[in-house]
Amino acid sequence: MRVEIWSDIACPWCYVGKARFEKALEAFPHRDEVEVVHRSFELDPGRAKDDVQPVITMLTAKYGMSEAQAEAGEDSLGAQAAAEGLPYRTRGRDHGSTFDMHRLLHFARERGRQAELLDLLYRANFAEERSVYNDDERLVGLATAAGLDPHDARAVLADPEAYAEQVRADEREAAGLGATGVPFFVLDRKYGVSGAQPAEVFAQALDQAWGERAPLTLIDGDAETCGPDGCAVPQP
Amino acid sequence: MRVEIWSDIACPWCYVGKARFEKALEAFPHRDEVEVVHRSFELDPGRAKDDVQPVITMLTAKYGMSEAQAEAGEDSLGAQAAAEGLPYRTRGRDHGSTFDMHRLLHFARERGRQAELLDLLYRANFAEERSVYNDDERLVGLATAAGLDPHDARAVLADPEAYAEQVRADEREAAGLGATGVPFFVLDRKYGVSGAQPAEVFAQALDQAWGERAPLTLIDGDAETCGPDGCAVPQP
């Protein structure tokens, strides 16, 4: 079974929802047969790489909140994160473009290091003091910690088109599947789970998708195969 | 869309069927949205690594063919391969265990080099004079040509348990899906195509699977998400 998770590094509910999903997956009897794939979804796709500002400033400027409202929201998200055992820095976090992080995550997927890099990016963005935005060397450091080659990671970051099409393809696909927000979980392209649901909902979704795996529909009968008894060979 | 192909390096119909599938995929309008994954299926899973013999000898010993019958079969398979533009050495090929090649293919998948390695293994087995069986350095050479690190490839080959569980899991899954021979093609875990079908059948299968992608069933409504308009935040 395959679970694709559309999310953004800058999305607090993605950070929290991922932990809830993983709790359900950990308890799922067929967890070893579940492949998890990160898919890209930028909350703020138009933002320039060098347009970085504190989250609280962005919230007041973009959504017209008062500073007190923005801070209360961050405190509330921090409490939700804490309930899942996740560190969350409620003051002083930055907001910026995550496009390069998504490009790097696609590169990491090719090298079998996507899950490691995603965890490190979330932690860096939500819990660490140093900003992850507009700082290629910071990202190279995280990529290296995830097991990637620093020279390769630097080359990906230096070329703005590297893996860019994969990021955009994920975003088009999200739109096609009807996702307007993240996190968005897709199980075997059959079931969708929207948002940071409780672990119980993810557990139910895993059970349901697993239990309802339908037998394959065979197209056009059999043609020549090889099997334990040899290969079908047309006689001349 | 995802196409999983169960096959074995030692399987002539897999070699031919892959070329036919690729012809259909090349002409498929949504080919850039198709991910192709190799899955393991050993035709001769009980064979020891050092038990290598000429294909003709294996065919006469295992299936009781006469040498003339075995040679006629190879000629016939060679003609099918030639019709797809594939080189095929009808005399002097070896037969042996492909377990290590499947382990190496799983490692290559992690590193984004599976398609390259699979092509090289098929060519080496079916068209080149030097045997691919029971020769780790030969496999390291092919892995290197596929873009893998030779030291890493050697380490995988040296540890008989490395990626072994992934090979066995693929084989269990093939049995669960009802595949008794290969090649076996599975489209989005919904449609199956058995054998080296003509390209037209693969084209039809791709069209059908693409056209019948069903909308997702959403489980349990919406929960908190972040979107272009901000994050849902529970108010204290």
Side-chain angles (χ1 to χ4, degrees):
Chain A
M1 191 157 72
R2 186 157 75 145
V3 180
E4 296 160 284
I5 311 178
W6 272 264
S7 53
D8 196 4
I9 314 306
C11 159
W13 287 119
C14 300
Y15 181 50
V16 170
K18 181 174 186 288
R20 294 180 182 167
F21 169 76
E22 284 169 355
K23 200 172 177 182
L25 184 62
E26 185 58 37
F28 184 58
H30 309 285
R31 63 182 170 275
D32 292 341
E33 289 164 79
V34 176
E35 179 194 7
V36 177
V37 179
H38 162 78
R39 298 284 183 200
S40 301
F41 189 109
E42 293 163 277
L43 292 179
D44 198 353
R47 185 168 285 262
K49 179 169 175 165
D50 62 359
D51 185 2
V52 181
Q53 60 187 161
V55 165
I56 300 289
T57 309
M58 179 277 289
L59 290 172
T60 56
K62 189 169 175 186
Y63 304 117
M65 291 182 188
S66 73
E67 197 160 307
Q69 281 175 317
E71 289 181 347
E74 278 294 284
D75 289 340
S76 172
L77 287 163
Q80 299 276 341
E84 303 302 328
L86 298 171
Y88 193 102
R89 194 167 161 254
T90 58
R91 294 291 178 276
R93 264 199 314 122
D94 273 348
H95 179 76
S97 168
T98 55
F99 191 63
D100 282 358
M101 297 179 219
H102 286 292
R103 294 196 299 111
L104 206 54
L105 282 162
H106 278 277
F107 164 66
R109 182 172 179 218
E110 278 196 3
R111 302 292 166 95
R113 291 288 182 274
Q114 189 180 63
E116 291 83 351
L117 180 60
L118 184 59
D119 275 341
L120 290 169
L121 287 170
Y122 274 131
R123 291 292 171 126
N125 183 53
F126 287 112
E128 293 171 20
E129 197 159 339
R130 188 171 158 201
S131 175
V132 289
Y133 298 99
N134 196 25
D135 183 345
D136 285 2
E137 282 308 304
R138 171 76 160 139
L139 294 183
V140 168
L142 293 168
T144 308
L148 292 164
D149 181 276
H151 302 284
D152 291 348
R154 199 171 284 119
V156 169
L157 291 168
D159 172 6
E161 280 311 306
Y163 299 91
E165 181 46 34
Q166 279 94 319
V167 177
R168 295 183 195 118
D170 278 359
E171 294 179 335
R172 284 194 301 271
E173 210 158 30
L177 291 167
T180 55
V182 283
F184 192 77
F185 300 75
V186 176
L187 293 78
D188 270 349
R189 289 288 165 121
K190 193 172 173 193
Y191 293 99
V193 179
S194 173
Q197 302 270 5
E200 298 71 44
V201 173
F202 291 117
Q204 182 210 333
L206 287 166
D207 281 339
Q208 190 162 340
W210 185 266
E212 294 182 17
R213 286 173 311 151
L216 296 176
T217 302
L218 268 189
I219 289 181
D220 216 49
D222 281 324
E224 289 90 351
T225 60
C226 302
D229 296 326
C231 299
V233 177
Q235 292 305 317
Chain B
M1 192 158 72
R2 185 158 75 146
V3 180
E4 296 160 283
I5 311 177
W6 272 263
S7 53
D8 195 6
I9 315 306
C11 159
W13 286 119
C14 300
Y15 181 50
V16 170
K18 181 174 185 288
R20 293 179 182 167
F21 169 76
E22 284 170 355
K23 200 172 175 181
L25 183 62
E26 184 59 36
F28 184 58
H30 309 285
R31 63 182 171 276
D32 293 341
E33 289 165 81
V34 177
E35 179 193 7
V36 177
V37 180
H38 163 79
R39 297 286 183 199
S40 302
F41 189 109
E42 293 163 277
L43 293 179
D44 198 353
R47 185 168 285 262
K49 180 170 176 166
D50 62 0
D51 185 1
V52 181
Q53 59 186 164
V55 165
I56 300 290
T57 308
M58 179 277 288
L59 290 171
T60 56
K62 190 168 174 187
Y63 303 118
M65 290 182 189
S66 72
E67 197 161 307
Q69 281 175 319
E71 289 181 348
E74 279 294 284
D75 289 339
S76 172
L77 288 163
Q80 299 276 340
E84 300 304 327
L86 299 171
Y88 192 101
R89 193 167 161 254
T90 58
R91 294 293 178 277
R93 263 199 315 122
D94 273 348
H95 178 76
S97 168
T98 55
F99 190 64
D100 282 358
M101 298 179 219
H102 287 291
R103 294 197 298 111
L104 206 53
L105 282 162
H106 277 278
F107 164 67
R109 183 176 178 215
E110 277 195 4
R111 301 295 166 95
R113 291 288 183 274
Q114 190 181 61
E116 291 83 351
L117 181 60
L118 184 59
D119 275 340
L120 290 170
L121 288 170
Y122 273 132
R123 291 292 170 126
N125 183 53
F126 286 113
E128 291 170 22
E129 198 159 340
R130 189 173 157 200
S131 175
V132 288
Y133 297 100
N134 196 25
D135 183 344
D136 284 3
E137 280 309 303
R138 169 79 160 138
L139 295 183
V140 169
L142 294 167
T144 308
L148 293 164
D149 181 276
H151 303 283
D152 291 348
R154 200 170 283 121
V156 169
L157 291 169
D159 173 5
E161 280 311 304
Y163 300 93
E165 182 46 34
Q166 281 95 319
V167 176
R168 294 183 196 115
D170 278 359
E171 295 180 332
R172 283 195 301 272
E173 211 159 27
L177 291 166
T180 55
V182 283
F184 192 78
F185 301 76
V186 175
L187 292 79
D188 270 350
R189 289 288 166 120
K190 194 172 172 195
Y191 293 99
V193 178
S194 172
Q197 302 270 6
E200 298 70 45
V201 172
F202 291 117
Q204 182 209 332
L206 287 166
D207 282 339
Q208 192 162 339
W210 185 266
E212 292 182 18
R213 287 172 310 152
L216 296 176
T217 303
L218 268 189
I219 290 180
D220 217 50
D222 280 325
E224 289 90 353
T225 60
C226 301
D229 297 326
C231 298
V233 177
Q235 292 306 317

